[in-house]
């Protein structure tokens, strides 16, 4: 086995963290031959629960798990980290406005960015899952001046996977035959799930589904899928979120398979009418540990308007958190 790879997870005793830690320790992120040290980070009140998680990890006797570090100190949690999953975030409490949520989380993610800058590997890949994920990624990256902003991203992969699954179900094909799906913009209700470029079993998705569905029910179903899971399960999606986080990081590190693309929120470069200076979800291809936005797609007016709307929301979020950048 090669030297142990350091994988840090914040909010590690939470719902998503609980799924993520075991799957990563079992080799599902980097392969079974790669030794892993898990660096699990929690806030002080959750440390007892985190000790329980560490005990269960030990009890799994995973071949590839070298060590578990459980801590409420970010400096220790992020020390030498190669891969970082920023999952823990303050949830919206009763009577809290969205702007309050932004400000509370901006404080958390600005400090995390600064500590990553000092203690993580300078080439660490950082994935932000905790909401508002796009703006939290922007804040963390802007507080880590020695790290390349390209090494930060926010998760829209669960939305991407949900969109693929909805299109597969609608067309009666297996989800593995769906390619070139895109989530544009913010991981929020303004996200734009776009099947206009997608194919199903090699055929254009637009030739297989009605335009009204593609522009209506398809989009709202993907946007509201999280709420539907909460209604059914009584608690928010965690296994599918952890699965998406692993797929996001794995493809980033090892490449997108088969010439397909995936959706990742990365630093906006103005392409397709998106704003610069925010983290915006685009279609991306990954290779050799890096990503590139897919170029040259022909987008209709409907798509351009959706991209404009979600981009405006991200600019508003950035303005609300500007003090901490
Ligand atoms: P979860 O593990 O369910 O969720 C963690 C974060 O992921 C939330 O911000 C959640 O957003 C977000 N998320 C992103 N995508 C999804 C998705 N598709 N489905 C569900 N969640 C998604 O939260 P828990 O409350 O179980 O655990 C959070 C942990 O973080 C706790 O153990 C807590 O102690 C810790 N924490 C850490 C903080 C810190 O680091 N300073 C601050 C506060 C808590 P959303 O809320 O919008 O669903």
């Amino acid at each position: 086995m090669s030297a142990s790879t350091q994988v840090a997870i914040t909010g590690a005793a939470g719902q998503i963290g609980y799924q993520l830690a075991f799957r990563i320790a079992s080799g599902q992120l980097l392969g079974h031959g790669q030794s892993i040290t898990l660096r699990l980070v929690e806030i002080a009140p959750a440390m007892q629960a985190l000790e329980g998680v560490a005990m269960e990890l030990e009890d799994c006797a995973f071949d590839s798990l070298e060590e578990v570090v459980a801590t409420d100190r970010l400096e220790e949690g992020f020390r030498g980290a190669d891969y970082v999953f920023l999952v823990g975030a303050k949830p919206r409490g009763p009577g809290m406005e969205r702007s309050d949520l932004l400000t509370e989380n901006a404080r958390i993610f600005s400090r995390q960015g600064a500590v990553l800058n000092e203690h993580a590997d300078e080439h660490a890949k950082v994935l932000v899952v905790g909401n508002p994920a796009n703006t939290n990624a922007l804040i963390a990256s802007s507080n880590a001046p020695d790290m390349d902003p390209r090494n930060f991203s926010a998760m829209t992969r669960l939305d991407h996977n949900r969109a693929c699954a909805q299109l597969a179900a609608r067309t009666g094909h297996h989800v593995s035959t769906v390619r070139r799906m895109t989530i544009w913009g913010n991981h929020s209700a303004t996200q734009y799930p776009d099947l206009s470029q997608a194919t199903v079993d090699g055929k254009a998705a637009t030739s297989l589904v009605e335009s009204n569905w593609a522009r209506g029910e398809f989009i709202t179903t993907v946007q509201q899928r999280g709420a539907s899971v909460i209604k059914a399960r009584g608690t928010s999606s965690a296994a599918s979120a952890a699965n998406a986080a692993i797929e996001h990081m794995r493809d980033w590190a090892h490449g997108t398979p088969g010439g397909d693309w995936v959706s990742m929120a990365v630093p906006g470069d103005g392409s397709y009418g998106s704003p610069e200076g925010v983290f915006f979800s685009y279609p991306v291809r990954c290779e050799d540990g890096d990503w590139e936005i897919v170029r040259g797609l022909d987008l209709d007016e409907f798509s351009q308007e959706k991209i404009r709307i979600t981009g405006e929301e991200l600019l508003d979020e950035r303005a609300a958190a500007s003090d901490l950048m």
Side-chain angles (χ1 to χ4, degrees):
M1 244 183 220
S2 42
S4 189
T5 300
Q6 309 290 310
V7 181
I9 305 173
T10 67
Q15 279 211 89
I16 297 174
Y18 187 64
Q19 298 282 334
L20 206 47
F22 291 84
R23 291 191 55 177
I24 293 172
S26 72
Q28 293 182 48
L29 176 64
L30 299 172
H32 294 280
Q34 179 59 53
S35 158
I36 290 198
T37 294
L38 275 183
R39 312 191 73 84
L40 307 181
V41 186
E42 261 300 350
I43 49 175
M47 279 310 289
Q48 191 180 338
L50 189 62
E51 289 305 329
V53 175
M55 286 160 71
E56 279 199 81
L57 282 162
E58 191 181 355
D59 295 347
C60 289
F62 288 123
D63 285 347
S64 44
L65 186 60
E66 179 74 21
E67 188 188 351
V68 178
V69 175
T71 181
D72 59 359
R73 293 188 58 249
L74 287 179
E75 292 79 359
E76 191 184 2
F78 293 162
R79 188 170 303 139
D82 301 297
Y83 296 93
V84 182
F85 293 83
L86 299 182
V87 180
K90 190 124 186 161
R92 195 194 297 218
M96 210 170 154
E97 298 294 330
R98 189 170 166 81
S99 56
D100 299 331
L101 183 74
L102 272 162
T103 322
E104 292 265 359
N105 278 302
R107 270 190 217 107
I108 292 169
F109 283 81
S110 63
R111 164 134 164 78
Q112 292 186 348
V115 179
L116 282 169
N117 196 60
E118 292 306 311
H119 296 273
D121 184 275
E122 66 175 314
H123 302 298
K125 288 182 168 33
V126 182
L127 167 60
V128 178
V129 176
N131 280 316
N134 298 51
T135 298
N136 290 341
L138 174 66
I139 291 163
S141 118
S142 55
N143 282 279
D146 302 330
M147 295 173 74
D148 187 339
R150 293 180 60 86
N151 287 350
F152 287 78
S153 63
M155 187 169 93
T156 49
R157 183 61 175 267
L158 179 54
D159 310 301
H160 178 103
N161 289 347
R162 286 168 171 167
C164 291
Q166 290 301 317
L167 179 58
R170 184 75 176 186
T171 56
H173 284 79
H174 193 268
V175 70
S176 60
T177 65
V178 176
R179 300 262 187 286
R180 298 164 56 110
M181 182 61 75
T182 306
I183 304 294
W184 299 93
N186 201 1
H187 170 70
S188 75
T190 67
Q191 65 174 265
Y192 171 40
D194 173 20
L195 60 66
S196 67
Q197 312 293 321
T199 60
V200 183
D201 206 13
K203 296 185 200 69
T206 48
S207 70
L208 301 173
V209 297
E210 320 76 63
S211 166
N212 279 351
W213 181 80
R215 293 181 170 197
E217 192 186 331
F218 166 69
I219 294 175
T220 50
T221 302
V222 175
Q223 287 172 339
Q224 292 163 17
R225 185 70 167 179
S228 305
V229 171
I230 293 177
K231 200 168 162 210
R233 213 171 81 87
T235 178
S236 61
S237 36
S240 54
N243 178 65
I246 289 176
E247 290 188 342
H248 176 124
M249 196 70 104
R250 187 200 59 207
D251 288 351
W252 190 3
H254 297 300
T256 34
D260 197 7
W261 68 58
V262 291
S263 303
M264 283 170 63
V266 296
D269 68 348
S271 53
Y272 300 110
S274 61
E276 293 180 49
V278 297
F279 274 64
F280 195 92
S281 181
Y282 299 98
V284 300
R285 288 202 177 93
C286 304
E287 200 179 340
D288 297 330
D290 202 2
W291 52 262
E292 281 302 330
I293 297 169
V294 176
R295 305 286 171 195
L297 301 178
D298 197 13
L299 300 184
D300 61 14
E301 270 180 31
F302 179 85
S303 296
Q304 288 170 24
E305 176 63 4
K306 291 282 184 196
I307 287 172
R308 188 190 64 73
I309 292 168
T310 192
E312 276 192 1
E313 183 184 48
L314 282 165
L315 289 171
D316 288 347
E317 287 188 11
R318 183 181 71 180
S322 59
D323 290 357
L324 288 151
M325 279 182 266

